[in-house]
Amino acid sequence: MEGNTSIALLLSAVFSECVSRQYHFVNQKLSWSEAQRYCRENYTDLVTINNKNDIEELLKSVNDDQVQFVWIGLHKTNIKTWKWSLGDPAFYTGSDSQYRNWAHGQPNEDEDCSNMNTGEWCDYNCTHSTQLTGFICYNDSSKGHIPVHQSVIWRNAQSFCRDHHTDLVSVRNLTENTQIEKIRTDGGMNAVWIGLFRDSWEWSDESESSFRNWRTSVPDNVGGNENCAELWVKTERGRWDDRNCDIKTPFVCHEDELVLIRLNVSWNEALRYCRENHVDLVSVHSEQIQHQVTEVVKDASTAAVWMGLHHYCAMNMWIWLRGEVVCYQNWAAGHGTGQEDCGDGPRVGAVQSGGDQRWISLPQTHKLNFICTNSQD
Ligand SMILES: *[C@@H]1O[C@H](CO)[C@@H](O)[C@H](O)[C@H]1NC(C)=O
Ligand SMILES: *[C@@H]1O[C@H](CO)[C@@H](O)[C@H](O)[C@H]1NC(C)=O
Ligand SMILES: *[C@@H]1O[C@H](CO)[C@@H](O)[C@H](O)[C@H]1NC(C)=O
């Protein structure tokens, strides 16, 4: 990534281990839309937050003590949709975040929270509590569902679950619905809060994340035009507030660590492209990176995708671009055996985009998509 040095000095970067993203704090005061444009031109987008851990990582990138607020990628749209309080897309597979078990005639489109009774769900006023005998939390460490006998408003139930467990319960399929219903009846409870809520906020990068971490009684839309979200860095550290999008404030961008480039080119052309536009062709020297590659190659248009692996005929060895020998390996049967055919020039490595994403050895003249990395290490 080329960048003018003075801007580069204003930036600091931290990698998040879980989401394979890098956070870039930009210490320039811009409106939300200007910040969005800046992030898209220089990185991937304004930052998306999936969970509490992302907030911690993001805050580490903010390296100026004077900064009080930063824009994040969340903004308001005209359409309200139902989503889960446990908003990390990694928790869901396929379309199971869309599983619903509404009672007949529900939701009747007037309330933004929901409760469960006799296994069926109803929408309900988030700030009412008297009809509810409690709520059910989910604990990701124990994978358990915990009934809590407290009549509180939905936000307080959410805070309790986040403080003591992981979040309010999500229901991903009929089996889970039946399990949770049993916990409700075993606990002698009537209607209980579940994690399903409705809002009209979406992320700039169109991510599925429904994780929200608003301050108490926010969003409040003071003045009727608070359509963008900022994260508080000092007081109420990590909490979010809705704000007028025209206000100018520093912001945080994110950059995906791995980027799939859907151009069909030779290995040498791919290498040049990555070095000019990112950092390098990807080196898959650990199972963790292979896992990230697996996510990224799903969208490839070729059956295999170049990575930064090449064969040294003279030494009869496979080596990553930065000189590391291959320790972690994921070769397809019959590939990477060391018995390479060096007749038509050195062979290079690609990862299959389908199946179980194994590695194959190919002549470098094949035309494939490729994966660049933005990581320096
Ligand atoms: C729930 O998870 C937390 C960690 O988030 C753990 O300390 C606690 O013991 C768990 N509680 C139960 C009841 O499993
Ligand atoms: C329900 O979802 C859980 C969690 O994803 C999964 O382990 C389980 O196999 C699913 N059950 C069915 C019947 O789909
Ligand atoms: C790249 O190759 C694939 C497979 O041959 C093809 O489907 C795709 O349209 C090509 N993409 C471009 C940009 O040429």
Side-chain angles (χ1 to χ4, degrees):
M1 173 142 309
E2 285 91 344
N4 110 21
T5 328
S6 60
I7 291 186
L9 288 175
L10 295 173
L11 304 173
S12 68
V14 176
F15 266 112
S16 154
E17 285 176 32
C18 301
V19 292
S20 65
R21 279 193 170 148
Q22 198 174 29
Y23 298 108
H24 296 270
F25 168 60
V26 183
N27 203 354
Q28 286 182 37
K29 290 186 174 167
L30 297 181
S31 72
W32 190 89
S33 321
E34 289 163 349
Q36 180 190 50
R37 186 174 328 121
Y38 183 99
C39 290
R40 288 180 175 176
E41 281 171 5
N42 294 280
Y43 303 106
T44 303
D45 211 323
L46 261 174
V47 68
T48 291
I49 299 171
N50 293 331
N51 52 46
K52 275 198 254 182
N53 184 56
D54 286 359
I55 295 180
E56 295 308 316
E57 294 300 322
L58 179 164
L59 283 168
K60 284 184 202 161
S61 76
V62 180
N63 59 355
D64 180 338
D65 291 345
Q66 301 308 309
V67 170
Q68 303 205 38
F69 315 110
V70 289
W71 286 131
I72 57 174
L74 199 65
H75 66 127
K76 198 156 65 184
T77 67
N78 296 323
I79 306 156
K80 279 190 176 180
T81 55
W82 290 95
K83 49 202 93 177
W84 293 105
S85 176
L86 201 180
D88 193 334
F91 184 70
Y92 304 91
T93 42
S95 57
D96 66 10
S97 66
Q98 298 304 312
Y99 173 77
R100 305 287 183 260
N101 197 42
W102 294 113
H104 181 70
Q106 291 285 327
N108 42 14
E109 301 302 342
D110 44 5
E111 308 296 355
D112 291 341
C113 289
S114 60
N115 66 52
M116 174 194 273
N117 203 348
T118 65
E120 295 186 323
W121 313 351
C122 293
D123 61 352
Y124 199 64
N125 186 320
C126 304
T127 60
H128 285 183
S129 60
T130 47
Q131 300 297 315
L132 299 184
T133 47
F135 50 94
I136 296 177
C137 302
Y138 171 72
N139 192 317
D140 200 46
S141 322
S142 64
K143 309 286 175 209
H145 299 112
I146 298 96
V148 182
H149 295 256
Q150 283 180 25
S151 290
V152 293
I153 63 170
W154 188 86
R155 274 286 183 94
N156 291 354
Q158 181 190 49
S159 300
F160 181 96
C161 292
R162 287 186 176 174
D163 289 347
H164 296 93
H165 301 285
T166 302
D167 213 317
L168 268 170
V169 69
S170 287
V171 189
R172 291 171 291 187
N173 55 41
L174 182 58
T175 313
E176 283 193 339
N177 199 62
T178 308
Q179 285 166 1
I180 294 156
E181 168 61 8
K182 184 164 186 311
I183 281 157
R184 187 191 67 81
T185 50
D186 288 354
M189 299 162 104
N190 296 322
V192 289
W193 288 126
I194 57 173
L196 198 67
F197 73 101
R198 196 168 64 134
D199 77 5
S200 55
W201 292 81
E202 300 293 342
W203 295 100
S204 174
D205 69 350
E206 297 181 354
S207 148
E208 295 280 306
S209 171
S210 54
F211 180 78
R212 310 282 184 263
N213 199 42
W214 299 111
R215 303 174 55 228
T216 310
S217 308
V218 164
D220 52 7
N221 200 22
V222 170
N225 60 357
E226 294 195 321
N227 298 328
C228 292
E230 67 183 11
L231 180 143
W232 287 27
V233 175
K234 300 185 105 170
T235 52
E236 295 194 51
R237 189 169 164 84
R239 290 281 180 167
W240 310 353
D241 201 355
D242 56 342
R243 204 88 195 278
N244 180 333
C245 306
D246 294 332
I247 285 168
K248 292 183 185 289
T249 193
F251 52 97
V252 178
C253 310
H254 70 218
E255 182 175 42
D256 292 340
E257 189 176 330
L258 301 185
V259 188
L260 173 75
I261 310 291
R262 289 163 55 105
L263 294 170
N264 298 346
V265 297
S266 72
W267 190 85
N268 280 315
E269 287 165 332
L271 179 61
R272 189 175 331 116
Y273 181 100
C274 289
R275 289 185 170 173
E276 279 171 7
N277 297 284
H278 298 275
V279 173
D280 215 336
L281 256 178
V282 65
S283 287
V284 190
H285 47 63
S286 70
E287 191 169 353
Q288 194 207 346
I289 300 176
Q290 173 71 23
H291 186 72
Q292 293 170 22
V293 165
T294 304
E295 290 299 308
V296 171
V297 293
K298 281 179 191 155
D299 298 323
S301 67
T302 49
V305 167
W306 293 129
M307 47 184 191
L309 183 59
H310 53 152
H311 183 249
Y312 270 115
C313 284
M315 291 188 286
N316 197 17
M317 264 175 104
W318 284 92
I319 301 204
W320 294 111
L321 278 172
R322 290 174 209 182
E324 298 140 289
V325 297
V326 175
C327 294
Y328 168 76
Q329 44 187 307
N330 192 38
W331 291 106
H335 290 261
T337 56
Q339 309 301 313
E340 310 301 325
D341 173 9
C342 290
D344 49 356
R347 291 175 75 95
V348 288
V351 52
Q352 293 172 329
S353 39
D356 46 3
Q357 285 88 22
R358 301 237 166 229
W359 305 349
I360 55 175
S361 143
L362 289 173
Q364 51 191 345
T365 48
H366 276 227
K367 305 271 190 215
L368 302 182
N369 294 177
F370 53 101
I371 298 173
C372 300
T373 178
N374 287 309
S375 167
Q376 300 285 349
D377 37 63

